[in-house]
Amino acid sequence: MRKKLLAVAMSTLMMAGALAGCGGGTKQEAANEIKLGGNFELTGGVANYGKQAVNGIQLAIKEANASGGVLGKQIKLVLADNKSEAAEATNALTKLITQDKVVAVFGPATSSNTIATVQVSQDNKIPIITPTGTSEKITVDNGKTRPYAFRSCFIDPLQGTIMANFASNTLKVKTAVMYIDNSSDYSKGLAKSFETVFTQNGGTILGQEAFLQKDQDFKSTLTKIKALNPEVVFIPAYYEEVGKILKQAREMGMNMPFIGTDGWDDAKVVEIAGAASLNNTYFSSHFSSQDTDPNVVKFIAAYKKEYNQDPSVFSALGYDAGLLMIDAIKRANSTDPQKIRDAIEQTKDLQLSTGIVTIDANHNPIKSAVVIEMKDGKQVFKEKITPKQ
């Protein structure tokens, strides 16, 4: 019996040792593939964001693999569905790191879900890049940069500032109401930066109202907003609720401009609201398909060829996240997570589809933003803003 127990114990130890080494730098570099994780909203309330971001990442990986791979290896993307929920996002990242043994991770797509995962990446020393999570809290905690968290999109304060200045300078309005998603860090952060800049510009916030994700009937709150008679309504939220709010607001005769942020940037908002309801609305985003920059044109052509449809902003930012990660692995000349982290942090003047990017001290990209107007259900490029470096 003792010999049998000893044999079982030795076998277990050998298996554990083999599993422990499957995803780290040394064993991974001996394999013929580089395993990267994708922690995304593939089902649930914002599944469209996750799926589109994944499309962009997969295109970047496909192009890299077709060109001979990275470090002589093929990249393999391992996906995990976080079901559009913060707790599931944490579970998904834990699985990718501990079971799938990935060396770096893309995602999640939303700010709240990404914030839920950053401690797991820190504890396991695995770098993550969110393509589209814009909350400041993702990369900075109480004034300190989170060492393993990065993004390929701009941050909320930039969007809030852009839309506040747009309201003041382009729309030339003096009064506003903010209608925020109280269940979203993304929405709260944007409202804060919008209010700060709009009031600095001499504007007045007449009121702030709130809703929750998955709410369906907004008419009671919209009645309150209508009574305040603002010149503009700022809704920093995601397309599902935005579409329903705009549809119901227009049905109530609220014809003032509504403005928002990149959470609006999805074709489904037109399906939900209807094209007419979206007239006289504007939002900030990361790129416009009408941009004539050769890098934008090249990306759109490649995306259309691969998926037979136009890319959304989430697809573009997913593609950029893929390029950012691939470039970092090349410069690191290693699949060791720490070396990849260091290389991402040192990214400077890297050409991506949405512009040239440098990663700043807070792990945020310095990059351009655009304002898009909706006309008869179509996006129309309005303005492009390049921040000072």
Side-chain angles (χ1 to χ4, degrees):
M1 179 62 73
R2 289 179 64 189
K3 288 183 178 179
K4 184 175 181 180
L5 287 172
L6 182 60
V8 170
M10 289 297 291
S11 176
T12 302
L13 284 170
M14 290 174 67
M15 183 176 293
L19 288 172
C22 334
T26 304
K27 291 291 185 181
Q28 181 67 41
E29 290 188 14
N32 196 36
E33 64 183 17
I34 300 170
K35 290 173 74 173
L36 301 177
N39 176 6
F40 283 104
E41 298 79 346
L42 303 179
T43 58
V46 290
N48 222 33
Y49 292 157
K51 291 175 182 177
Q52 290 176 40
V54 168
N55 280 352
I57 292 166
Q58 288 178 325
L59 177 59
I61 289 173
K62 181 177 181 179
E63 290 176 348
N65 285 340
S67 299
V70 178
L71 309 183
K73 308 174 193 298
Q74 294 288 287
I75 299 174
K76 179 181 179 181
L77 181 65
V78 182
L79 291 174
D81 180 12
N82 64 41
K83 304 176 184 177
S84 300
E85 297 176 7
E88 289 294 338
T90 301
N91 293 337
L93 181 58
T94 301
K95 174 188 175 294
L96 288 167
I97 294 171
T98 62
Q99 296 182 34
D100 298 308
K101 306 296 182 181
V102 300
V103 297
V105 177
F106 299 106
T110 66
S111 291
S112 295
N113 292 342
T114 307
I115 290 168
T117 69
V118 290
Q119 190 60 49
V120 176
S121 70
Q122 167 72 25
D123 292 344
N124 289 275
K125 294 181 170 34
I126 296 291
I128 62 171
I129 299 177
T130 173
T132 50
T134 53
S135 170
E136 285 182 282
K137 294 180 181 179
I138 291 171
T139 57
V140 177
D141 180 30
N142 293 321
K144 186 177 180 180
T145 303
R146 299 183 192 266
Y148 291 87
F150 301 87
R151 71 181 101 222
S152 59
C153 57
F154 51 58
I155 58 175
D156 288 342
L158 176 62
Q159 291 199 84
T161 297
I162 285 168
M163 294 315 294
N165 285 330
F166 178 79
S168 300
N169 302 330
T170 301
L171 297 181
K172 299 187 182 305
V173 299
K174 295 294 185 181
T175 61
V177 167
M178 302 188 300
Y179 194 13
I180 71 169
D181 179 352
N182 217 24
S183 56
S184 167
D185 292 317
Y186 163 82
S187 191
K188 294 174 186 176
L190 284 162
K192 182 179 178 181
S193 57
F194 178 88
E195 181 176 15
T196 298
V197 177
F198 189 70
T199 55
Q200 285 175 351
N201 291 343
T204 301
I205 302 295
L206 299 177
Q208 176 176 305
E209 299 292 338
F211 62 90
L212 298 175
Q213 286 179 20
K214 300 184 181 178
D215 281 355
Q216 300 295 320
D217 188 349
F218 303 90
K219 290 183 178 178
S220 176
T221 305
L222 286 170
T223 299
K224 296 179 184 178
I225 295 173
K226 185 179 181 181
L228 292 171
N229 194 31
E231 293 177 276
V232 70
V233 179
F234 179 54
I235 312 177
Y238 299 126
Y239 64 89
E240 286 281 353
E241 288 75 28
V242 167
K244 293 167 187 173
I245 289 168
L246 290 173
K247 179 177 174 62
Q248 293 173 34
R250 298 311 195 200
E251 289 172 350
M252 295 169 59
M254 298 176 69
N255 298 318
M256 73 282 286
F258 282 72
I259 61 176
T261 48
D262 63 334
W264 290 36
D265 199 348
D266 191 280
K268 282 190 174 293
V269 76
V270 182
E271 295 178 23
I272 297 167
S277 297
L278 284 163
N279 286 336
N280 201 22
T281 69
Y282 309 84
F283 61 89
S284 55
S285 195
H286 305 258
F287 100 123
S288 168
S289 60
Q290 297 170 15
D291 195 330
T292 56
D293 183 293
N295 295 288
V296 175
V297 173
K298 180 181 177 182
F299 161 68
I300 292 172
Y303 191 91
K304 283 184 176 180
K305 182 178 180 181
E306 183 69 19
Y307 298 108
N308 197 32
Q309 63 183 23
D310 289 328
S312 72
V313 64
F314 286 83
S315 302
L317 291 172
Y319 183 76
D320 281 359
L323 295 181
L324 179 60
M325 185 79 79
I326 290 165
D327 174 73
I329 295 171
K330 288 178 179 177
R331 285 187 291 106
N333 196 31
S334 171
T335 56
D336 176 76
Q338 181 63 43
K339 292 180 180 179
I340 295 172
R341 189 217 75 86
D342 294 346
I344 299 172
E345 188 175 65
Q346 294 159 10
T347 300
K348 183 176 176 58
D349 296 332
L350 176 64
Q351 180 67 64
L352 303 180
S353 72
T354 59
I356 296 173
V357 164
T358 293
I359 299 297
D360 70 15
N362 291 327
H363 291 182
N364 302 315
I366 302 169
K367 61 187 299 186
S368 301
V370 300
V371 176
I372 292 173
E373 179 180 4
M374 294 300 296
K375 286 186 177 181
D376 300 323
K378 303 293 184 182
Q379 293 189 5
V380 178
F381 175 79
K382 186 73 175 176
E383 296 180 13
K384 189 169 187 176
I385 300 97
T386 302
K388 296 178 180 179
Q389 296 197 29

